[in-house]
Amino acid sequence: MNAPQALTRWSNPGSSRVPFWAYTDPALYQRELDRIFYGRHWSYVGLAVEIPNVGDFKLTAIGERQVILVRDRVAPRERATDDGIRVLENRCAHRGVRFCQQPHGNARSFVCPYHQWTYKLNGELAGLPFKDGVKAQESGGECVQGGMPADFDMGAHGLTRLKVATVHGLVFASFDYGVEPLTDYLGPAVMPWLDRIFQGRTLTLLGTNRQRIPGNWKLMMENIKDPYHPGLLHTWFVTFGLWRADQKSRMVMDAQGRHAVMVSRRNEAAPAAAAVTAGVTSFKAGMTLHDDRLLDVVPEPWWTIPDPAQPGAQITPTVTMLTLFPGLIVQQQVNSLSTRQIVPRGPGSFDFVWTHFGFADDTPEMTRRRLRQANLFGPAGFVSADDGEVIELSQAGFRQWGEGGETLCELGGTGTEATEHMVTETLIRSMYAYWKKIVEP
Ligand SMILES: [Fe+2]
């Protein structure tokens, strides 16, 4: 079934029932790439601190298009307004070759291996062999053979250069120059939660993980918009009190419902109320850790901010999970911090790239603490391994039933409003309400 037909088969109004074909249909997936990842949206491509020096680059992707995040040379007088960060498509302007294969490195220029077309760090074509042909001796003397046409315009044959914007060291790019300014795109409801983690701070890189998860890319966004599951699926969270249904929590979303923040506060060593853990098979009452440094949580001053929702009040979450549509998750779970980038790989698969970070003024003890707590996350994380597995099982269930099925997403009703508790699937519904508008024929 092609996507236009599929979308007319959306049998329910609203967004609380998501048809299985939304996760499996190849034509719909192509439309998502065109309209979301290659369209008027901002996609996260990395942290500025990953490319600190001129020539530093990192290979990444937006949708299925590989792009290069690179630090360009900038003249001294322009440095106040230009940080030199460029994002270039990894596709040679000559014959379409994906010329860069190194995951990261430092380059003076980019050279395509096929015919050695050479590009500056800003993507401009710097030169190509035999542009002016070759000199040869003929009976009448020297002549020029071959070469590009005399009107060949070097300036018109650079790499595709994306629109780039950086906020607090997070770099975003878009193929569509008509995209709105980045801070407008993120919106005033979400920005305080990004400011809280990043504003005015110098980041340090602690490490990366990557994994390929055999499920549709939207399932990962759903997972982090779903405050209902962590206290049920994750033994680690429910047993050690890191995430339980009775915590003080807030579900925040932007005006369009596409981005969200789950804000929550850990129960300080409080025993779980019986009603919260009764019948929850993942709760292991007697479970303790041989190495309790994994839960050596130390509150940090920046956790407390003026409450964006209540003038004059303050708020001190221990957990904030930001989902920035379409493909970025920013995680603070107690002392562990990471970005997670979602790179779709066909309708039934995506790459999940984790970057764990800290701050330049962290003590060595805090750095070790962040690294230890990072063991909860990533492909084999004590918590996150569960998510990768259930996403795979979700996709398997959609495939085995086929097009006629749909998910049920009605905890807390069928609406899409912000809430002050976590017993709701409102953030998932709000994302699909936005998504529907974008992918509709
Ligand atoms: Fe989870």
Side-chain angles (χ1 to χ4, degrees), residues 223 229 234 387:
N223 180 265
H229 88 275
H234 300 303
D387 292 314

mmCIF file of all heavy atoms in Angstrom, residues 223 229 234 387, ligand 1:
data_model
loop_
_atom_site.group_PDB
_atom_site.id
_atom_site.type_symbol
_atom_site.label_atom_id
_atom_site.label_comp_id
_atom_site.label_asym_id
_atom_site.label_seq_id
_atom_site.Cartn_x
_atom_site.Cartn_y
_atom_site.Cartn_z
ATOM 1 N N ASN A 223 9.293 6.262 23.416
ATOM 2 C CA ASN A 223 9.813 5.679 24.652
ATOM 3 C C ASN A 223 10.184 6.761 25.673
ATOM 4 O O ASN A 223 9.973 6.612 26.875
ATOM 5 C CB ASN A 223 11.022 4.797 24.304
ATOM 6 C CG ASN A 223 11.647 4.143 25.517
ATOM 7 O OD1 ASN A 223 12.597 4.656 26.090
ATOM 8 N ND2 ASN A 223 11.100 3.018 25.923
ATOM 9 N N HIS A 229 6.035 3.863 31.481
ATOM 10 C CA HIS A 229 6.751 2.586 31.447
ATOM 11 C C HIS A 229 7.939 2.460 32.399
ATOM 12 O O HIS A 229 8.217 1.348 32.853
ATOM 13 C CB HIS A 229 7.209 2.261 30.004
ATOM 14 C CG HIS A 229 8.545 2.823 29.644
ATOM 15 N ND1 HIS A 229 8.698 4.108 29.187
ATOM 16 C CD2 HIS A 229 9.805 2.304 29.720
ATOM 17 C CE1 HIS A 229 9.981 4.349 28.976
ATOM 18 N NE2 HIS A 229 10.674 3.277 29.296
ATOM 19 N N HIS A 234 11.402 -1.133 34.018
ATOM 20 C CA HIS A 234 12.802 -1.089 34.456
ATOM 21 C C HIS A 234 12.964 -1.453 35.933
ATOM 22 O O HIS A 234 12.703 -0.653 36.826
ATOM 23 C CB HIS A 234 13.373 0.309 34.232
ATOM 24 C CG HIS A 234 13.352 0.758 32.803
ATOM 25 N ND1 HIS A 234 13.959 0.045 31.796
ATOM 26 C CD2 HIS A 234 12.804 1.840 32.208
ATOM 27 C CE1 HIS A 234 13.782 0.688 30.643
ATOM 28 N NE2 HIS A 234 13.084 1.768 30.868
ATOM 29 N N ASP A 387 14.877 -0.891 27.069
ATOM 30 C CA ASP A 387 14.149 -0.115 26.064
ATOM 31 C C ASP A 387 14.439 -0.621 24.654
ATOM 32 O O ASP A 387 13.535 -0.763 23.834
ATOM 33 C CB ASP A 387 14.513 1.369 26.166
ATOM 34 C CG ASP A 387 14.001 1.986 27.459
ATOM 35 O OD1 ASP A 387 12.833 1.748 27.797
ATOM 36 O OD2 ASP A 387 14.771 2.706 28.112
HETATM 37 FE FE FE B 1 12.629 3.126 29.389
#
